[in-house]
């Protein structure tokens, strides 16, 4: 016999028990989904930020803020044209400073050369009163000082870096005499006096070519010296007409106590030199 109590205990109560358990399960699942969604929303901005944020720039505070090269060594002075009839071949030193134009293979700089084409030394008495008891050494040198602005086309990279350059500037030709103390051993002492006997300027310009051959390389970007090259080159520098003295001792022929122009062997011609160069090139800062 079906009674309300039995229905309540078996059917309704059983149904009530099942419905309560199902509701609890749904609540747990909803809670888990809410927690998972919250975690996902919290993680998504950080992930997006890591994905699209720009990387930190490299630390270059220790890198030198320079970009260029220094070249130096010996230079020859071979006279060309009418100059060759008056002076001989000379030799001296050269220094070049240049900087790169951005990332292009172009260098702008300054080239300075100094060489002599004649030199005479003689030992004379200090004065006519003292006579030979106090001798001094008198040396007369004929020199050329060159200063040019340069524009060079040269690769920034590679073991072998040939180049071509253009130069424009001036030449300063001068003859100078200096007097030095002469000790008993024949060695020169301190300078007593000196004077420029004759000088003149001439505009100058020309072209050059050569090659730098790498002999040392440093890859550390914080180092100022990045590579050292063996330098070989030649310059052909035209010069306008100028006056200059030939090699030889200067003497006061008329005895008036000074060197008159009539007593000087003054020559005039164009001042063109062919100048071979040899030395080293120091590459600064950035390199290949």
């Amino acid at each position: 016999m079906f009674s309300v109590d039995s229905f309540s205990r078996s059917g309704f109560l059983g149904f009530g028990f099942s419905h309560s358990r199902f509701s609890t399960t749904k609540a747990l699942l909803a809670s888990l989904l809410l927690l998972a969604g919250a975690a996902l929303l919290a993680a998504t901005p950080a992930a997006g930020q890591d994905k699209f944020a720009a990387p930190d720039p490299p630390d270059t505070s220790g890198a030198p803020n320079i970009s260029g090269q220094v070249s130096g060594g010996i230079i020859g002075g071979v006279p060309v044209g009418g100059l060759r009839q008056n002076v001989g071949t000379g030799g001296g030193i050269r220094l070049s400073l240049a900087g790169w134009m951005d990332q292009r293979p172009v260098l702008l700089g300054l080239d300075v050369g100094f060489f002599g084409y004649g030199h005479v030394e003689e030992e004379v008495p200090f004065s006519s009163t003292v006579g030979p008891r106090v001798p001094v050494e008198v040396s007369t040198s004929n020199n050329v000082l060159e200063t040019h602005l340069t524009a060079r086309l040269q690769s920034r990279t590679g073991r072998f870096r040939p180049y071509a350059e253009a130069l424009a500037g001036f030449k300063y030709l001068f003859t100078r005499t200096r007097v030095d103390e002469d000790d008993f051993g024949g060695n020169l002492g301190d300078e007593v006096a000196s004077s420029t006997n004759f000088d003149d300027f001439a505009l100058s310009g020309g072209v050059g070519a050569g090659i730098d051959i790498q002999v040392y390389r440093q890859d550390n970007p914080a180092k100022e010296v990045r590579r050292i090259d063996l330098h070989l080159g030649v310059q052909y520098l035209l010069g306008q007409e100028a006056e200059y003295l030939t090699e030889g001792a200067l003497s006061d022929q008329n005895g008036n106590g000074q060197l008159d122009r009539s007593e000087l062997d003054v020559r005039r011609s164009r001042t063109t030199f062919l100048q071979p160069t040899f030395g080293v090139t120091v590459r600064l800062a950035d390199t290949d």
Side-chain angles (χ1 to χ4, degrees), residues 137-139 175-180 191-197:
E137 190 77 18
V138 179
S139 60
T175 297
R176 188 170 182 81
T177 298
R178 59 177 288 170
V179 179
D180 297 289
E191 179 180 326
V192 177
S194 62
S195 176
T196 299
N197 310 117

Side-chain angles (χ1 to χ4, degrees), residues 59-60 62-65 218-226 285-287:
D59 183 13
T60 59
N65 188 24
Q218 167 62 256
D219 292 326
N220 187 347
K223 299 296 184 180
E224 292 186 359
V225 176
R226 300 298 300 278
D286 61 309
T287 186

Side-chain angles (χ1 to χ4, degrees), residues 260-273:
D260 299 327
R261 185 180 175 90
S262 60
E263 298 173 313
L264 302 176
D265 187 8
V266 179
R267 305 292 176 92
R268 183 179 181 87
S269 70
R270 295 188 64 87
T271 53
T272 300
F273 285 94

Side-chain angles (χ1 to χ4, degrees), residues 8-256:
S8 299
R9 286 193 300 266
S10 60
F12 182 78
L13 292 178
F15 176 75
F17 175 75
S18 298
H19 178 73
S20 176
R21 183 174 58 184
F22 180 69
S23 298
T24 304
T25 302
K26 287 201 300 180
L28 289 174
L29 289 175
S31 300
L32 291 176
L33 289 175
L34 288 174
L35 290 174
L40 182 61
L41 290 175
T44 299
Q49 185 178 1
D50 292 339
K51 180 178 180 181
F52 297 103
D56 294 335
D59 183 13
T60 59
S61 58
N65 188 24
I66 52 178
S67 178
Q69 60 186 33
V70 179
S71 179
I74 60 175
I75 185 174
V78 181
V80 177
L83 185 66
R84 183 172 52 188
Q85 302 174 7
N86 300 322
V87 305
T89 299
I93 58 175
R94 167 185 169 270
L95 178 66
S96 176
L97 307 173
W100 296 102
M101 293 295 293
D102 299 327
Q103 296 301 316
R104 291 170 291 181
V106 177
L107 284 156
L108 298 182
L110 178 68
D111 188 283
V112 179
F114 175 82
F115 60 91
Y117 62 85
H119 186 79
V120 175
E121 291 184 0
E122 55 182 342
E123 187 178 280
V124 299
F126 181 75
S127 68
S128 58
T129 304
V130 176
R133 289 174 294 179
V134 182
V136 292
E137 190 77 18
V138 179
S139 60
T140 301
S141 58
N142 307 91
N143 310 293
V144 180
L145 173 65
E146 299 177 329
T147 303
H148 294 90
L149 299 176
T150 64
R152 175 181 293 189
L153 182 64
Q154 185 175 28
S155 172
R156 302 168 66 96
T157 62
R159 182 175 179 83
F160 300 93
R161 298 189 300 131
Y163 70 87
E165 63 181 353
L167 305 95
F170 67 88
K171 294 181 174 75
Y172 175 55
L173 297 90
F174 65 101
T175 297
R176 188 170 182 81
T177 298
R178 59 177 288 170
V179 179
D180 297 289
E181 294 178 350
D182 188 7
D183 59 25
F184 292 103
N187 298 319
L188 297 180
D190 296 332
E191 179 180 326
V192 177
S194 62
S195 176
T196 299
N197 310 117
F198 194 87
D199 60 358
D200 200 2
F201 283 90
L203 294 179
S204 176
V207 295
I211 188 171
D212 288 323
I213 305 172
Q214 177 182 302
V215 294
Y216 168 81
R217 174 173 170 174
Q218 167 62 256
D219 292 326
N220 187 347
K223 299 296 184 180
E224 292 186 359
V225 176
R226 300 298 300 278
R227 59 183 283 171
I228 298 177
D229 297 344
L230 178 67
H231 173 82
L232 299 171
V234 63
Q235 298 172 334
Y236 185 79
L237 296 176
L238 298 166
Q240 69 174 174
E241 285 191 357
E243 293 183 334
Y244 50 88
L245 298 183
T246 59
E247 180 181 17
L250 304 177
S251 60
D252 180 15
Q253 299 173 2
N254 58 18
N256 65 352

